[in-house]
Amino acid sequence: MSDTITVEGTETGSTPETIPVIDVSRIMQMIPHRYPMLMIDRVIDVIPNESCTGVKNVSINEPFFMGHFPSRPVMPGVLIIEAMAQTAAVLVVQTLGPEAEGKLVYFMTIDEARFRKPVTPGDQVHIHVTKIAQRKTVWKFSGAAKVNGTLVAEATFAAMILDEK
């Protein structure tokens, strides 16, 4: 996998920009989540103010597998939705710039959540989020999680960004 991603320009005729893949160290600078609640390992395919894709490598060592169907480990759907929210938070920071780093993002709504297939150890989940709307500090997104190109979960959600530093 490449260590850079292409960021498409938002203006007609603008030139795409290449920036480093957002790795887990940078993600932790951008959003306040930490293990065991950090649900994304990297972010790719960023188009500021529009969309991006987070990547979650699912391991049997995840703490939730000890109690969530131990005989047939399945990643909880609410954590897939949380991964969508964290990917969206990285998009917000990438869009707003360094002054947005470390701000808290609180869910306001989760709508139309659908879980299509189980996510199990060994899966690599690609979480694609797209900004639907923004009004002041409230952002609305659609999210889709896929494993090997197959849709496993989707939702529409809104979040409010707060500065509680």
Side-chain angles (χ1 to χ4, degrees), residues 106-123:
Y106 291 108
F107 272 125
M108 294 179 65
T109 64
I110 302 171
D111 299 312
E112 302 173 26
R114 302 280 188 269
F115 303 99
R116 308 289 183 189
K117 290 186 158 239
V119 174
T120 59
D123 286 345

Side-chain angles (χ1 to χ4, degrees), residues 18 24 27 29 55 98 116 120 128 135-137 162 164:
T18 301
V24 71
I27 290 168
Q29 292 173 348
V55 177
R116 308 289 183 189
T120 59
H128 186 75
R135 177 176 256 167
K136 297 184 182 179
T137 60
L162 298 176
E164 292 189 5

Side-chain angles (χ1 to χ4, degrees), residues 16-30:
E17 174 188 359
T18 301
I19 64 171
V21 165
I22 302 172
D23 66 12
V24 71
S25 296
R26 180 70 182 116
I27 290 168
M28 289 191 298
Q29 292 173 348
M30 298 173 87

Side-chain angles (χ1 to χ4, degrees), residues 7-62:
V7 177
E8 297 179 14
T10 56
E11 297 178 24
T12 305
S14 63
T15 306
E17 174 188 359
T18 301
I19 64 171
V21 165
I22 302 172
D23 66 12
V24 71
S25 296
R26 180 70 182 116
I27 290 168
M28 289 191 298
Q29 292 173 348
M30 298 173 87
I31 64 176
H33 302 80
R34 298 294 180 266
Y35 178 85
M37 284 306 297
L38 183 60
M39 293 290 130
I40 53 175
D41 298 312
R42 67 179 43 219
V43 174
I44 58 175
D45 300 329
V46 177
I47 303 172
N49 206 38
E50 288 184 30
S51 66
C52 70
T53 302
V55 177
K56 168 67 175 166
N57 297 303
V58 182
S59 164
I60 190 62
N61 296 324
E62 307 283 353

Side-chain angles (χ1 to χ4, degrees), residues 58-60 62 64-77 116-123 152:
V58 182
S59 164
I60 190 62
E62 307 283 353
F64 50 79
F65 284 135
M66 290 189 306
H68 198 253
F69 309 137
S71 63
R72 189 178 188 290
V74 174
M75 184 175 182
R116 308 289 183 189
K117 290 186 158 239
V119 174
T120 59
D123 286 345
V152 296

Side-chain angles (χ1 to χ4, degrees), residues 63-164:
F64 50 79
F65 284 135
M66 290 189 306
H68 198 253
F69 309 137
S71 63
R72 189 178 188 290
V74 174
M75 184 175 182
V78 295
L79 296 181
I80 297 170
I81 301 294
E82 176 65 23
M84 290 179 193
Q86 290 178 19
T87 301
V90 170
L91 175 61
V92 169
V93 172
Q94 188 69 32
T95 298
L96 297 178
E99 66 276 1
E101 289 183 18
K103 291 187 177 183
L104 299 178
V105 179
Y106 291 108
F107 272 125
M108 294 179 65
T109 64
I110 302 171
D111 299 312
E112 302 173 26
R114 302 280 188 269
F115 303 99
R116 308 289 183 189
K117 290 186 158 239
V119 174
T120 59
D123 286 345
Q124 184 178 68
V125 185
H126 284 244
I127 305 111
H128 186 75
V129 296
T130 302
K131 183 181 107 176
I132 297 172
Q134 174 196 356
R135 177 176 256 167
K136 297 184 182 179
T137 60
V138 177
W139 295 57
K140 186 172 183 179
F141 300 92
S142 66
K146 295 182 178 183
V147 174
N148 295 324
T150 300
L151 184 67
V152 296
E154 59 191 324
T156 301
F157 56 96
M160 178 181 283
I161 293 86
L162 298 176
D163 187 2
E164 292 189 5

